[in-house]
Amino acid sequence: MIPFSVLDLSPVVRGATPTDALRNSRDLAIHAEALGFHRYWLAEHHNMTGIASAATAVVIGYVAEATKTIRVGSGGIMLPNHAPLVIAEQFGTLASLYPGRIDLGLGRAPGTDQGTARALRRAMGPSDDRFPDDVLELQRYLGPLQPGQTVRAVPGVDTNVPLWLLGSSLFSAQLAAQLGLPFAFASHFAPDLMMQALHVYRTMFRPSDVLQKPYAMLGINVVAADTDEEARRLFTSQQQAFWNLRRGVPGQLPPPVHSMEGVWTPMEKAQVDHALSCAIVGSPDTVRDGLAEFIERTQADELIITAQVFDHAARKRSYDIVAAQRERLAGAVA
């Protein structure tokens, strides 16, 4: 059975603080490790009161310190916001402290609004032009020291932290294929080009020193509960948060409601349903069937599962159910 991993946006729920969110992330990582999840990734976002993982490398260290075996990494670091050398030093340090457990997923979006991107001292030109060169530069800093190399990442050099390219379009799929790197697609919020991106990545893939054949991980929303009705209620927090983001008014993760009727218009519902179409919401049997269909349809090598659930205990319970359904699927495959 393919590995299952966790993507945590470290949600700050309404009425709570970033401290609460970060402690919940650490607790969920410990829980996910005990359940057998393969990776635990955190994402870089800025100027969002509902997401606490802006200083992503710091949070990765906080999570890695509390766990023992699960891989911990970024899903992702928005590379155009940073000098490659700085990221190499940060992740080289993490790899030195937690050897064999650190992943570095890279994205090319700012992870924020334009005003905040400027405050990050990010050049505002198209990132497509420099992103491939920045990836290669970062790769050099994390690899073996080359003859004549005068700038080095310390720590970082020869740590060979695994690089992943993340994307929601065809650009990163093509670049990951050209560089022979693993690829993660953001189907959990941008599903439109998922199948096309997988085709591009798999057909154009060139073997490299780090990867001999394509390896694609797909993001998917899974909110599980004991009943379909309860899972749908829990999922309304994510639906509300996503629509608030689309409206330009992001905030803390709202509590669930029993019905979205009256919360949004039919047009708004259609837009959110489309964006979150890669979502499995329901009871254990519903989740098992949904996961089996998604894996069969995409032939994913790995799933990275996110669950924006208001109540921390309910979020942990959701991952309990996912882990149990993975075991059922593995048994069926065997």
Side-chain angles (χ1 to χ4, degrees), residues 134-145:
D134 284 352
V135 172
L136 291 172
E137 182 180 350
L138 178 56
Q139 199 170 33
R140 287 194 296 270
Y141 287 138
L142 293 171
L145 189 67

Side-chain angles (χ1 to χ4, degrees), residues 232-234 236-237 239-240 254-261 263:
R232 287 193 294 266
R233 187 186 73 86
L234 295 175
T236 62
S237 291
Q239 291 171 316
Q240 294 175 76
V257 294
H258 287 288
S259 172
M260 290 291 288
E261 294 296 326
V263 178

Side-chain angles (χ1 to χ4, degrees), residues 5-9 39-43 60 71-76 103-105 164 166 184 217 304:
S5 295
V6 175
L7 173 61
D8 179 17
L9 299 185
R39 309 175 201 276
Y40 196 95
W41 279 10
L42 297 126
I60 289 170
R71 298 191 66 88
V72 188
S74 61
D103 296 325
L104 177 47
W164 289 69
L166 282 52
M217 178 164 63
I304 188 160

Side-chain angles (χ1 to χ4, degrees), residues 65-114:
E65 182 65 25
T67 53
K68 296 181 176 64
T69 58
I70 195 169
R71 298 191 66 88
V72 188
S74 61
I77 290 293
M78 301 298 109
L79 188 55
N81 291 343
H82 311 278
L85 178 59
V86 172
I87 298 304
E89 290 172 341
Q90 290 176 357
F91 279 78
T93 300
L94 289 167
S96 299
L97 291 170
Y98 312 105
R101 293 180 54 208
I102 301 300
D103 296 325
L104 177 47
L106 301 169
R108 63 187 179 93
T112 188
D113 58 273
Q114 288 196 349

